[in-house]
């Protein structure tokens, strides 16, 4: 994927390129080196606690700010203000995660880094990539607000004791629907036409998480989350606004991390970990990276939150770098909250 626009004279940039520059939406810093490792070199690991800590902190601050506004003013946010506030919070958290992953990339390098650098935003698709990122970070919180938000309820009152269960189930159920939708997109000739754009990147970065055609974007951004939310409600789980907001923060963390290609061993932090571990069904960053790198129309590793459905339906691919004997358990990675 040709990407040279960051080296151009900035007088040639359009406003989308300037937005990405101002917000720091770059997977790497062109002025800093990225370490390169052989595939047999040891890999540091990210403990689950670090992931949970980062996600919970960034999920809770908007709820606390909202609760504080209600406490000091005596008024709750209207539907419109809630849409604006949570959309802005979603964007802020996602940008923070992208910045954090860029720093980690310059410290720990990337998978397959001895063969290929990470793909940057292509010259011809800057507008489309920015549009995808903005659509996701706007529409998902908007859908949550429309379906679950009630101005008559304080935000923290919509937290339930079922939240730990909901976090684990939400990611697992969402991944079931995503697995089959994703697999059919690969195996059906007509649907592949809507998905192939996403596979033009063989070494993706977080910015290319939703580098895709419009039909795929609609399913990723709206369809799958709504179907999952509806399933959870039918199961009798509360899924109040705060619960759903926190569940979605877990999802977006894993989506961005899964496209980062970071040479760090980690599995998505989730309360379903004990169950997934029983079936060797935890996802690693390398799993989805290999889906892009070694797959095309015929592929493997279709799950994006777990490896459960790939394991059950026989579509797992062997790992190369993130194998047990290659993990340096004595070198844990920490994530600063700020």
């Amino acid at each position: 994927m040709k990407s040279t626009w960051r080296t151009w004279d900035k007088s040639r940039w359009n406003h989308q390129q300037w937005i990405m520059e101002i917000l720091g939406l770059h997977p790497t810093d062109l002025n800093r080196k990225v370490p390169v490792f052989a595939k047999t070199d040891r890999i540091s690991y990210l403990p689950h606690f670090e992931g949970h800590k980062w996600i919970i902190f960034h999920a809770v601050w908007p709820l606390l700010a909202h609760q504080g506004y209600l406490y000091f003013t005596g008024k709750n946010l209207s539907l419109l203000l809630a849409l604006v506030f949570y959309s802005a919070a979603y964007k802020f958290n996602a940008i923070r995660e992208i910045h954090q992953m860029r720093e980690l990339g310059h410290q720990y390098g990337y998978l397959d880094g001895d063969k290929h650098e990470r793909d940057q935003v292509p010259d011809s698709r800057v507008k489309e990539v920015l549009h995808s990122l903005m659509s996701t970070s706007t529409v998902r919180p908007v859908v949550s607000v429309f379906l679950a938000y009630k101005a008559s309820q304080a935000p923290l009152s919509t937290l339930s004791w079922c939240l730990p269960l909901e976090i684990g189930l939400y990611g697992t159920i969402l991944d079931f629907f995503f697995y089959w939708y994703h697999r059919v997109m690969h195996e059906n000739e007509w649907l592949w036409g809507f998905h192939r754009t996403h596979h033009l990147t063989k070494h993706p970065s977080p910015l290319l998480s939703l580098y895709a055609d419009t039909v795929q974007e609609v399913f990723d951004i709206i369809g799958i989350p709504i179907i999952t939310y509806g399933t959870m409600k039918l199961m009798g789980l509360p899924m109040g606004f705060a619960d759903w907001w926190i569940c979605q923060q877990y999802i977006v963390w894993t989506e961005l991390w899964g496209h980062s290609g970071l040479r760090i061993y980690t599995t998505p932090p989730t309360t379903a970990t004990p169950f997934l571990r029983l079936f060797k069904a935890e996802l690693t960053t390398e799993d989805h990276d290999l889906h892009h790198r070694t797959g095309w129309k015929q592929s493997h590793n279709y799950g994006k939150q777990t490896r459960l459905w790939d394991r059950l339906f026989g579509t797992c691919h062997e790992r190369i770098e993130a194998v047990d004997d290659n993990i340096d358990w004595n070198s844990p990675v920490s994530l600063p909250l700020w």
Side-chain angles (χ1 to χ4, degrees):
M1 301 179 72
K2 183 180 178 182
S3 181
T4 60
W5 65 270
R6 292 172 65 192
T7 65
W8 298 350
D9 188 302
K10 293 183 179 181
S11 62
R12 296 175 56 194
W13 285 3
N14 57 36
H15 70 274
Q16 288 93 0
Q17 291 162 335
W18 272 109
I19 290 173
M20 297 191 78
E21 174 72 10
I22 292 168
L23 295 178
L25 297 178
H26 303 307
T28 58
D29 186 337
L30 295 181
N31 297 316
R32 296 167 62 190
K33 289 184 178 181
V34 174
V36 175
F37 298 94
K39 290 180 173 55
T40 54
D41 288 342
R42 305 279 278 176
I43 301 177
S44 297
Y45 85 102
L46 181 75
H48 268 191
F49 172 76
E50 293 294 322
H52 281 299
K53 178 186 72 174
W54 200 95
I55 295 167
I56 291 296
F57 176 83
H58 287 83
V60 167
W61 77 257
L63 297 171
L64 292 177
H66 183 177
Q67 188 75 31
Y69 173 83
L70 174 61
Y71 177 81
F72 287 109
T73 67
K75 299 178 181 179
N76 206 349
L77 295 177
S78 66
L79 181 66
L80 179 59
L81 285 177
L83 291 172
V84 172
F85 175 70
Y86 284 99
S87 177
Y90 194 104
K91 292 177 176 64
F92 178 84
N93 287 347
I95 291 171
R96 285 279 305 130
E97 186 177 353
I98 290 169
H99 290 175
Q100 189 114 76
M101 289 187 291
R102 182 174 62 233
E103 290 302 310
L104 291 172
H106 284 289
Q107 293 179 55
Y108 298 98
Y110 295 97
L111 297 164
D112 203 37
D114 56 340
K115 298 293 185 183
H116 201 285
E117 295 179 347
R118 284 289 121 180
D119 290 336
Q120 305 284 329
V121 178
D123 294 342
S124 60
R125 300 299 292 267
V126 176
K127 179 179 179 180
E128 288 80 0
V129 169
L130 184 62
H131 176 267
S132 295
L133 294 170
M134 295 298 288
S135 297
T136 304
S137 59
T138 299
V139 176
R140 278 189 183 169
V142 163
V143 168
S144 299
V145 170
F146 268 118
L147 291 180
Y149 181 74
K150 294 180 176 64
S152 60
Q153 296 177 324
L156 295 185
S157 73
T158 62
L159 284 171
S160 76
W161 291 105
C162 292
L163 179 60
L165 176 63
E166 289 172 333
I167 289 170
L169 281 176
Y170 188 81
T172 305
I173 292 171
L174 181 142
D175 206 50
F176 171 78
F177 293 120
F178 179 84
Y179 172 90
W180 280 110
Y181 139 76
H182 189 193
R183 183 171 172 178
V184 169
M185 292 277 276
H186 277 266
E187 296 182 354
N188 180 277
E189 192 71 39
W190 180 69
L191 290 175
W192 171 248
F194 298 109
H195 188 52
R196 68 180 300 277
T197 297
H198 184 65
H199 273 270
L200 293 176
T201 173
K202 294 296 184 183
H203 294 80
S205 71
L207 297 174
L208 300 176
S209 299
L210 279 170
Y211 175 64
D213 290 333
T214 302
V215 172
Q216 179 179 336
E217 288 183 353
V218 171
F219 275 96
D220 281 354
I221 298 171
I222 303 174
I224 301 299
I226 289 179
I227 293 170
T228 305
Y229 173 75
T231 301
M232 300 278 283
K233 294 291 284 186
L234 287 173
M235 291 171 65
L237 292 163
M239 287 301 285
F241 174 73
D243 285 2
W244 195 14
W245 167 260
I246 293 173
C247 286
Q248 292 211 64
Q249 293 301 300
Y250 272 86
I251 297 300
V252 70
W253 191 91
T254 300
E255 285 180 341
L256 291 175
W257 195 284
H259 284 87
S260 70
L262 286 168
R263 199 172 188 275
I264 297 171
Y265 179 84
T266 188
T267 59
T270 170
T271 53
T273 292
F275 168 77
L276 295 173
R277 203 165 275 171
L278 280 175
F279 298 96
K280 298 183 179 179
E282 291 181 283
L283 193 75
T284 69
T285 308
E286 188 175 32
D287 293 328
H288 196 68
D289 206 62
L290 287 170
H291 174 77
H292 277 268
R293 196 191 318 159
T294 62
W296 181 241
K297 188 174 184 297
Q298 297 299 319
S299 196
H300 38 71
N301 292 357
Y302 295 107
K304 202 161 63 171
Q305 298 291 323
T306 77
R307 216 184 188 195
L308 179 63
W309 310 113
D310 283 294
R311 180 73 67 194
L312 186 61
F313 297 113
T315 50
C316 286
H317 188 284
E318 291 297 320
R319 294 163 183 163
I320 298 171
E321 297 179 66
V323 293
D324 290 343
D325 292 342
N326 218 25
I327 313 305
D328 186 355
W329 300 107
N330 295 315
S331 298
V333 176
S334 62
L335 294 178
L337 292 178
W338 199 253

